[in-house]
Amino acid sequence: MTLEPWPTRSIWLWAVLTVGFVGLFLARFPTVSTFDNFLFADWGANLTVQALLDRGEQPIVDYFYPYGLLPLLLGRFGFGLFEKTPQTYLGFMVLSHVFAAWGMARLASALRVGVPGVVFLIVTIPYALPSTHPSLSHALETVLICHALAEQARGRRHIALALATAAVLTKPSMAYVLGLVLLGFIARELIGRTSDRLREGWSQIRPAFLTALGFGVVLAVVFGIRPLIGSILPLQVASLYRDADYGFFFGTGRRFWLPDNAGVRHYLGTQLGFWLASTVALIAGGLRVLALAIRREGRDARNESLSHGHVREIVLTCAILHMSFLCFFFAGEVSWLYYSYLLILGITALGGLGAPWPLVVAILATLALVADRSIPGEVVAAWDGGSFSADSRGLWTSPEQQAEWQEVLRRVEGHPTAVLSMAGAAPVLYPDHFLPSVTLFLLPGMEGTIDTHRMARHIQSAELVLVPTRSAQGMGVYPFLLGCPELRLALNAKDPIWKGSSYAIYRTGEDESRDKDFSPGSICRKDDFESLDRPEHPSAPSVTP
């Protein structure tokens, strides 16, 4: 089979990937524009953080913020140019899919992966990226890492390292690993030189240094020095991961690959079987490349299938990144999608390693086609029983939820009302009904922090408090919101004055809670909380480092 020259083929591949990613986004539009996702979950936090910045509040200093500052700068521009609406955010998601597809096509073009790799990349479109990302940080990080790998595949490690540096300022997690891997490859190459090591080394790291310096100065001026430093070292996020019992091997992530009562049909009939088989293949390929490198056969054992000298490097890099995800960054059972593109790109690169790897890639492509046949049913179900309504700010809701939400608005109208939720943008989207937000996230493990202190004072200033009782993502944060000592005492109510199927309204107390000290550190030492019932294992939210 003869294919067009790679530059032409890469344009066609980019077009196919773009149509696939954007097509799935549109097909699943009701699920990516769900009402509760924006009002009470991560999606809405992207709007709320811009409102907090408008008031002059600093991330990390005044409220918990788990990501880098570069997406905030992008948000200042994008939301300022248009509006702080869910539709603007979803527009960002479409653009991120387009640019991520471009990076993937550039990588495949640079590696000349052949027919198996190209076919695999196309048929795994439903696996590579989520329909939408929970934050601008996730979306921008995906784009930057895809293009960093593409530059690495072209042999331009210095540009890849600069993009990885920008990714650290976007979401300081996986980009650190990528940066270390790139520095390792650069150092290995410099060791083999007999002269000009310093000059060549500086030329390799100079773009990254200038990227860090340039963006660092801009971000420090716009947001402040303390937020910049705090965003580079997200120590509190790591602590929250431990509190949430996250993890692939021993934490709640085990439910992804070892669900209860799962038989062979579950592994072969869902995306799980494909994902696990691809993981084994990528790790095996990475170990093979590593073994060749250790035996110093990497330069001398190139065969006819290895038409580009960087295929092995990309396979090993993706294997290291994927293993880092499993060991350090895997959260709950749905988080496999956050870095699935690394697995997909790694398997795509395997197609260029020579026999037997193209056959392995072809088998995995076939498994991807037959493993998960639920997408058509999901699309049909997503469009059934709901609608987009002006009353729900153009977001997707069911008739029952619309009716319940209108009842909520009717009951809180004219009353100063606070919103107590894990995240979301209800006060941004309904400023006439709710008091402005004072926190960005309220997560299990944040007891005694400045965020619970601010929210407790916020509740005190309100007459009513709205609490979503059913998390938009099924994460069960509701027990934490009512079990946290600071928040429970500030609310000072055991039963809501009104409760529907998704929301509850509480009336704040007017007795001893008005005089309580809610400052961080002191609140958890008070005798008031010794008898409180605390949830044993409150499920954690979807915030990922």
Side-chain angles (χ1 to χ4, degrees):
M1 179 178 180
T2 303
L3 296 178
E4 299 87 350
W6 266 108
T8 302
R9 203 190 322 170
S10 66
I11 295 175
W12 282 104
L13 182 57
W14 179 24
V16 171
L17 294 177
T18 298
V19 170
F21 290 138
V22 177
L24 280 176
F25 173 88
L26 295 176
R28 295 168 169 169
F29 197 67
T31 61
V32 304
S33 58
T34 302
F35 183 74
D36 275 359
N37 278 348
F38 280 96
L39 263 71
F40 305 111
D42 292 30
W43 282 252
N46 296 276
L47 310 180
T48 297
V49 71
Q50 296 298 322
L52 292 170
L53 292 171
D54 288 342
R55 299 209 303 263
E57 302 205 29
Q58 291 183 299
I60 299 174
V61 175
D62 296 316
Y63 52 89
F64 169 70
Y65 176 72
Y67 306 123
L69 299 184
L70 196 55
L72 295 184
L73 189 64
L74 176 63
R76 299 304 280 168
F77 173 77
F79 288 115
L81 186 62
F82 298 99
E83 294 180 321
K84 297 183 187 69
T85 64
Q87 290 70 32
T88 300
Y89 176 76
L90 294 175
F92 273 119
M93 296 301 102
V94 172
L95 288 177
S96 75
H97 287 337
V98 173
F99 282 104
W102 180 25
M104 294 177 182
R106 290 179 65 229
L107 181 141
S109 174
L111 297 182
R112 300 179 180 270
V113 295
V115 174
V118 172
V119 172
F120 176 84
L121 193 56
I122 292 174
V123 301
T124 56
I125 286 175
Y127 300 88
L129 297 176
S131 298
T132 186
H133 296 279
S135 73
L136 287 179
S137 300
H138 289 79
L140 184 56
E141 181 201 38
T142 298
V143 171
L144 290 171
I145 291 183
C146 282
H147 283 276
L149 292 172
E151 292 295 336
Q152 184 184 3
R154 299 178 64 187
R156 307 203 303 178
R157 298 191 190 107
H158 59 298
I159 303 300
L161 188 59
L163 290 170
T165 301
V168 167
L169 298 173
T170 298
K171 191 165 167 281
S173 53
M174 188 65 74
Y176 275 124
V177 181
L178 177 57
L180 288 174
V181 171
L182 289 168
L183 288 173
F185 283 121
I186 292 172
R188 182 174 180 269
E189 183 174 300
L190 291 177
I191 290 175
R193 292 179 176 270
T194 57
S195 62
D196 294 331
R197 292 182 181 178
L198 290 179
R199 179 184 300 179
E200 179 62 22
W202 170 243
S203 69
Q204 291 290 314
I205 67 173
R206 181 173 56 212
F209 173 79
L210 295 177
T211 298
L213 180 63
F215 278 127
V217 170
V218 172
L219 295 174
V221 170
V222 175
F223 301 108
I225 294 291
R226 288 179 60 192
L228 176 60
I229 296 175
S231 67
I232 296 174
L233 299 171
L235 300 179
Q236 189 175 358
V237 176
S239 175
L240 291 176
Y241 254 48
R242 291 191 297 270
D243 291 335
D245 192 28
Y246 276 158
F248 180 80
F249 296 102
F250 304 106
T252 57
R254 282 170 56 93
R255 291 197 292 265
F256 166 63
W257 59 273
L258 194 63
D260 296 334
N261 302 319
V264 175
R265 293 183 61 182
H266 177 77
Y267 285 91
L268 297 181
T270 67
Q271 74 278 354
L272 178 57
F274 162 78
W275 192 92
L276 291 175
S278 298
T279 295
V280 172
L282 180 58
I283 294 173
L287 291 174
R288 174 59 177 166
V289 171
L290 188 60
L292 290 175
I294 292 175
R295 294 204 305 264
R296 292 192 171 276
E297 295 178 4
R299 295 181 180 178
D300 303 324
R302 295 177 180 174
N303 54 47
E304 64 277 3
S305 299
L306 196 57
S307 59
H308 195 287
H310 303 286
V311 172
R312 290 176 176 175
E313 186 172 321
I314 293 299
V315 169
L316 182 57
T317 298
C318 288
I320 293 173
L321 296 182
H322 186 61
M323 282 302 300
S324 298
F325 173 49
L326 299 186
C327 295
F328 304 113
F329 307 131
F330 201 95
E333 55 190 302
V334 299
S335 67
W336 66 274
L337 264 173
Y338 289 140
Y339 289 108
S340 185
Y341 65 93
L342 296 174
L343 178 62
I344 298 303
L345 293 178
I347 297 297
T348 300
L350 275 178
L353 279 181
W357 297 107
L359 177 60
V360 173
V361 174
I363 293 173
L364 290 175
T366 304
L367 182 59
L369 283 174
V370 302
D372 191 357
R373 297 182 295 273
S374 63
I375 293 178
E378 291 176 358
V379 171
V380 172
W383 288 93
D384 184 39
S387 65
F388 299 102
S389 168
D391 293 335
S392 60
R393 298 301 186 259
L395 297 170
W396 184 263
T397 54
S398 66
E400 296 77 15
Q401 188 177 29
Q402 286 187 35
E404 184 173 333
W405 182 248
Q406 291 304 311
E407 178 66 15
V408 168
L409 296 182
R410 186 187 69 81
R411 287 179 175 272
V412 304
E413 188 171 9
H415 303 277
T417 304
V419 177
L420 178 59
S421 63
M422 62 160 281
V428 177
L429 298 177
Y430 293 89
D432 296 334
H433 291 82
F434 303 109
L435 298 173
S437 300
V438 296
T439 60
L440 189 62
F441 293 106
L442 287 173
L443 315 176
M446 291 180 63
E447 296 91 339
T449 64
I450 188 174
D451 299 271
T452 52
H453 166 57
R454 283 165 63 96
M455 179 54 72
R457 289 299 183 191
H458 186 56
I459 291 173
Q460 282 185 313
S461 68
E463 180 182 343
L464 302 178
V465 180
L466 172 67
V467 183
T469 58
R470 185 180 61 190
S471 171
Q473 300 157 304
M475 294 296 177
V477 185
Y478 179 59
F480 163 73
L481 296 176
L482 297 186
C484 176
E486 301 96 315
L487 304 180
R488 182 169 177 173
L489 181 61
L491 195 59
N492 196 33
K494 292 187 178 298
D495 298 307
I497 61 173
W498 176 87
K499 188 173 184 179
S501 61
S502 299
Y503 315 109
I505 299 176
Y506 291 79
R507 186 180 301 278
T508 57
E510 297 182 352
D511 48 14
E512 70 275 5
S513 69
R514 297 292 182 181
D515 302 319
K516 289 293 183 182
D517 176 17
F518 293 101
S519 59
S522 65
I523 189 68
C524 293
R525 293 195 300 266
K526 291 184 174 293
D527 295 336
D528 303 82
F529 312 124
E530 291 182 353
S531 61
L532 289 180
D533 295 327
R534 303 294 301 280
E536 293 183 3
H537 297 289
S539 299
S542 61
V543 174
T544 59

